[in-house]
Amino acid sequence: MGWSRREPEVPANTSTSTPILSKLQSFNPFGNSGYVRLPTQEGPGAPLPAPSRREEEEGWFALSRWDRLLVFGACNAAALVCFVICFAIFPVLSLKPRKFAILWSMGSILFLASWAVLMGPLVYAQHLVSGPRLPFTAAYFGSITMTLVFAIKLAALVWYLVSYFPMGGTGLRFAARFGTNRLSAWMTD
């Protein structure tokens, strides 16, 4: 009886009072069509529960087209930053292959995530594994995997190369042992 005798709710305040959000919303080409606005301030009293779990969660997981475009742009901008940093450290690729591989893979994942946000994750996953797209999807994910494998192989190549120099293997083992000791000391501090 407690929930059913509650007084009518006061409408939630959904106005955007910050000038940055108002300016950003003014660029929205879609207006307010299909947009689920969440309250920005808590109204008095506890809210009534939704009739079903689906209706309760629907508003929290729905993104408008404008929100999807904003997240799409942010993910693509972050991917671009990762790729630019990769090209900036390209001259020292042989010294820092893991850094290059991680940044390149992160840029690729952010690029894929941007399209998943724009299209919807389930629809995008179905699109990626559809018949015409499957070879390209396999090649792209394979290249991401091979980038990470390449970083490991480059380290093995350096080890192989140094092993041909006189005392190269001994010196490399000493350097690896020293590096391992420094790393373990750094991690335990």
Side-chain angles (χ1 to χ4, degrees):
M1 293 249 259
W3 287 105
S4 61
R5 294 183 183 228
R6 191 169 156 228
E7 296 177 19
E9 287 188 27
V10 178
N13 179 12
T14 59
S15 65
T16 54
S17 59
T18 60
I20 295 171
L21 291 177
S22 297
K23 182 73 172 167
L24 193 59
Q25 187 64 28
S26 69
F27 294 119
N28 184 353
F30 306 110
N32 289 329
S33 62
Y35 187 69
V36 178
R37 295 196 84 157
L38 300 175
T40 57
Q41 295 178 357
E42 183 74 31
L48 288 171
S52 71
R53 184 86 166 150
R54 180 172 179 242
E55 290 176 18
E56 187 176 300
E57 292 178 349
E58 219 168 55
W60 292 100
F61 293 113
L63 291 175
S64 69
R65 286 178 283 185
W66 179 245
D67 291 339
R68 287 177 190 241
L69 283 174
L70 288 176
V71 175
F72 173 77
C75 284
N76 274 325
L80 180 66
V81 167
C82 288
F83 292 140
V84 166
I85 292 172
C86 281
F87 285 117
I89 67 167
F90 194 74
V92 293
L93 175 63
S94 62
L95 301 174
K96 304 283 185 185
R98 286 176 294 170
K99 191 175 287 189
F100 177 84
I102 290 170
L103 279 169
W104 191 266
S105 300
M106 183 58 75
S108 297
I109 290 168
L110 283 168
F111 178 74
L112 288 172
S114 69
W115 288 101
V117 167
L118 190 64
M119 295 174 69
L122 185 60
V123 172
Y124 187 59
Q126 290 170 346
H127 171 71
L128 285 177
V129 296
S130 66
R133 299 289 315 163
L134 193 56
F136 302 108
T137 301
Y140 193 66
F141 282 108
S143 70
I144 292 172
T145 304
M146 292 310 293
T147 301
L148 295 171
V149 169
F150 173 73
I152 296 168
K153 284 188 177 182
L154 190 59
L157 177 66
V158 169
W159 183 280
Y160 179 74
L161 179 68
V162 170
S163 70
Y164 277 101
F165 293 113
M167 299 298 287
T170 306
L172 197 55
R173 277 191 289 279
F174 174 74
R177 190 171 45 246
F178 179 76
T180 304
N181 289 341
R182 294 305 314 146
L183 183 65
S184 64
W186 175 70
M187 294 193 63
T188 56
D189 284 341

